[in-house]
């Protein structure tokens, strides 16, 4: 799914949820409520806050959440902000953990 290393995987769950269950490898946590501010942050602010470079409008971005509801909202929000290469993981953490971790 993101084996090419060029897709930014963003988990839009709350930090407490992520701490309880973990995240998919290479994911960063940007809660859905913070996503709208993503475009307004400078490159330095974004990197300081999220520990990765700020995505460009044409970068590949994949959103994930617990079961696909919030990641779909994130997809629509990112599209409204001008991001053109965005997708969401429909099954979310639940599907990934079941498949990859046997949970």
């Amino acid at each position: 799914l993101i084996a090419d290393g060029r897709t930014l995987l963003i988990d839009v769950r709350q930090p407490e949820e992520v701490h309880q269950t973990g995240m998919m490898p290479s994911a960063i946590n940007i809660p859905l409520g913070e996503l709208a501010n993503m475009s307004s942050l400078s490159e330095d602010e974004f990197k300081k806050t999220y520990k990765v470079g700020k995505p460009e409008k044409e970068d590949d971005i994949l959103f994930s959440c617990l079961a696909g509801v919030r990641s779909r909202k994130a997809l629509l929000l990112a599209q409204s902000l001008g991001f053109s290469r965005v997708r969401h993981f429909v099954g979310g953490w639940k599907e990934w953990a079941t498949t990859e971790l046997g949970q």
Side-chain angles (χ1 to χ4, degrees):
L1 190 60
I2 55 170
D4 63 8
R6 296 180 306 198
T7 300
L8 178 61
L9 176 56
I10 300 176
D11 189 320
V12 296
R13 295 178 292 158
Q14 291 299 312
E16 308 82 53
E17 294 176 83
V18 171
H19 290 307
Q20 288 176 352
T21 62
M23 286 191 297
M24 292 179 218
S26 77
I28 64 167
N29 181 224
I30 303 177
L32 182 60
E34 294 178 21
L35 203 58
N37 298 327
M38 189 168 76
S39 290
S40 65
L41 294 176
S42 71
E43 173 71 34
D44 288 340
E45 290 173 315
F46 191 91
K47 192 165 193 160
K48 182 179 177 185
T49 303
Y50 301 112
K51 313 297 186 246
V52 296
K54 182 178 177 178
E56 301 291 329
K57 302 275 185 189
E58 60 281 342
D59 286 348
D60 291 319
I61 302 173
L62 177 63
F63 294 104
S64 177
C65 64
L66 182 64
V69 176
R70 285 173 284 181
S71 62
R72 171 100 173 113
K73 290 178 183 178
L75 168 83
L76 297 173
L77 177 60
Q79 288 173 331
S80 76
L81 294 172
F83 290 88
S84 59
R85 298 175 56 102
V86 292
R87 297 171 289 157
H88 83 109
F89 186 29
V90 177
W93 170 259
K94 284 184 176 182
E95 181 180 311
W96 185 87
T98 300
T99 303
E100 298 296 322
L101 303 176
Q103 292 184 355

